[in-house]
Amino acid sequence: MLGNVARSRAGLVPVTVSRTNSGLTFTGTAANGTLTVVSMFSRFDSAGHHTAVLSMHDGPHDLDTAQFYGVCDSTLKRL
């Protein structure tokens, strides 16, 4: 499945969505080479949100990397 994410500072980012045994993975590479990966896990936390991880890797110079842990919601009861 392919889609797009809202505009970023790098412009429109095409996204590939993959289903895994543990949930969904969204992968996109911006025009400037920055790789962004979002993993949305099928398990829920105590408040009923999906656990999620956002990872970003700077493409041109590989100087900036970041990883954020959090939660997200979906309209799906299960992934």
Side-chain angles (χ1 to χ4, degrees):
M1 176 188 281
L2 295 174
N4 289 305
V5 179
R7 294 191 184 275
S8 70
R9 289 179 286 174
L12 195 62
V13 179
V15 174
T16 300
V17 180
S18 304
R19 184 175 178 199
T20 67
N21 289 338
S22 60
L24 298 174
T25 300
F26 302 83
T27 307
T29 303
N32 68 358
T34 298
L35 171 67
T36 301
V37 178
V38 176
S39 298
M40 181 176 157
F41 297 96
S42 56
R43 68 178 176 264
F44 294 96
D45 67 5
S46 60
H49 305 287
H50 292 282
T51 303
V53 178
L54 166 67
S55 300
M56 298 170 58
H57 308 274
D58 181 32
H61 307 290
D62 202 28
L63 298 175
D64 294 323
T65 59
Q67 191 167 50
F68 304 94
Y69 299 90
V71 297
C72 63
D73 293 314
S74 75
T75 58
L76 303 174
K77 298 294 180 195
R78 294 186 345 211
L79 291 180

